[in-house]
Amino acid sequence: MKNAIYPLLIVFAASCYGILSTIIKLSIQDGFTASQAVTSQYYVGLFITIVLFLVFKRSKPQWGGGKTLIFAGLFTATTGTVYGQAVEYMPASLAVVMLFQFTWIGMLFDCIANRRFPTRPELLSLILLFTGTILAAGVIDVDLSIIPWQGWAWGMASAISFSSFVMVNSKQVEGMDTLTRLLFTSIFAAIFITLFQDPEIVWDGTLFGGGLWKYGLILGFFGIVVPIYLFSIAVPKVGAGMSSILSAMELPVAIIASMLLLGERLTALQFLGIAIILIGMTFPTIMQQLKQKKRQQT
C-alpha cells in the first residue's frame, strides 16, 4: 500500500496539468492572450512557492542539485512554450497527440539511461495509449496534408521537452527537501519563461490591474506548485519510464475539463479513447502486481 501511493501521486500531478489548457482557453475568452496566461502561470506559481517556503521552512534555502534543478526549471518552461507554438500551426487536438508522444519518448529515455529493453506490458501499454490518444483527441477526420512542417517540429519538441522534465525529476537531490527543490525549480522556470514569453505583464498592469492574476493563481497552483512538488517526490520512486505512462492521465482530464467548463461535447469515440487510455495506464501496474503475487505463492 505504501508503494502504491507514488503512482497515484504521479496520476494526480498529471491530472493537474490536464486542466491547464481549459483555464488558458477561459483566459483567452476574457481577453488575454495564451502567452500572457502562460507567463502568469510561472510568475504566480513562483510567488505561491515563495509564500509556502516562508511559512513552512522559515529558513534560508540551501543550494544544491546544480544542473538537475537548472534543467528541471528549463524543461518546465520550454514545455509550455513549444506546445503553445505547436498549437499555432496545427489544430489543438493534433497538438495534444504530438505532445503525448512523451509516453514512448519517456520510455525510450528510461531504457537508454538504465540500459534495458522495455517489457512486454510496457510495450502493450504504449500501443493502447497511442490508440486511445488518437480516438480521445478526435483527430481521425483531420487533413494532415495541410499541416506545415513547423507544427510537427514544435509538437515533437513539446513531447521531448516534457519527457526530459520527467527524466530530470527522476534524479534525487541529496540533502535537499522537496519544498526547497520546488523553490529553486520555480525560480529557474520563471527566469527561462521571462526569455520565452511576455514578462511585461508585470509592469504594464495586465497581471494585477487587468485581472490576469485570477487565472495565474489557478495556473500557478495546478501547473507549477502541485505537479512539480508531487513529481519530485514520486518520479524517483516509480522511475521515468513508468511515470511517462502514468502521466497519460493528463489527456482524459483535459477532455473532461473542456466538456464541463467550456461546454464541449464528448463523442462516443472520445469516450472509448479515454477508456483505452485508462486501461493502458493501469496495465503495467496490474501485471507487475500479478507477478508479485505469483512469486509470493511459489
Side-chain angles (χ1 to χ4, degrees), residues 68 72 76 164-172 181 185 228 231-233 235-236:
T68 298
T76 300
S164 301
F165 166 75
V166 175
M167 194 70 188
V168 169
N169 273 280
S170 68
K171 301 180 181 296
Q172 292 183 322
R181 178 169 178 160
T185 301
I228 294 178
F231 271 124
S232 299
I233 295 174
V235 174

Side-chain angles (χ1 to χ4, degrees), residues 4 19 34 47 85 98 102 108 111 114 116 118-119 133 135 145-146 151-152 158 161 196 201-202 220 249 289-290 297:
I19 70 171
F47 175 76
Q85 290 293 320
M98 293 303 299
F102 73 75
L108 175 64
C111 290
N114 294 286
R116 69 178 183 90
T119 63
T133 300
L135 294 175
S145 63
I146 64 174
W152 300 110
S158 67
S161 180
F196 300 143
I201 64 171
V202 176
M249 188 65 185
Q289 290 178 349
L290 290 176
Q297 291 174 355

Side-chain angles (χ1 to χ4, degrees), residues 35 37-44 73-74 76-82 186-201 224:
S35 181
V38 170
T39 307
S40 72
Q41 170 184 331
Y42 288 84
Y43 286 174
V44 178
L74 172 63
T76 300
T78 55
T79 299
T81 300
V82 296
S186 300
I187 289 173
F188 287 116
I191 292 173
F192 287 119
I193 211 67
T194 300
L195 303 176
F196 300 143
Q197 298 291 343
D198 293 334
E200 61 269 15
I201 64 171
I224 299 294

Side-chain angles (χ1 to χ4, degrees), residues 23 40-41 44-45 47-48 207 212-223 225:
I23 303 302
S40 72
Q41 170 184 331
V44 178
F47 175 76
I48 296 173
L207 181 58
L212 180 60
W213 66 269
K214 294 180 292 185
Y215 297 102
L217 191 63
I218 301 174
L219 293 170
F221 185 75
F222 290 104
V225 178

Side-chain angles (χ1 to χ4, degrees), residues 246-257:
L246 294 172
S247 295
M249 188 65 185
E250 179 181 344
L251 180 57
V253 173
I255 295 173
I256 294 173

Side-chain angles (χ1 to χ4, degrees), residues 121-122 125 242 245 279-289:
E122 288 174 340
S125 176
M242 184 59 65
I245 291 176
I279 294 172
M281 283 173 49
T282 56
F283 183 76
T285 303
I286 294 174
M287 293 301 297
Q288 186 177 13
Q289 290 178 349

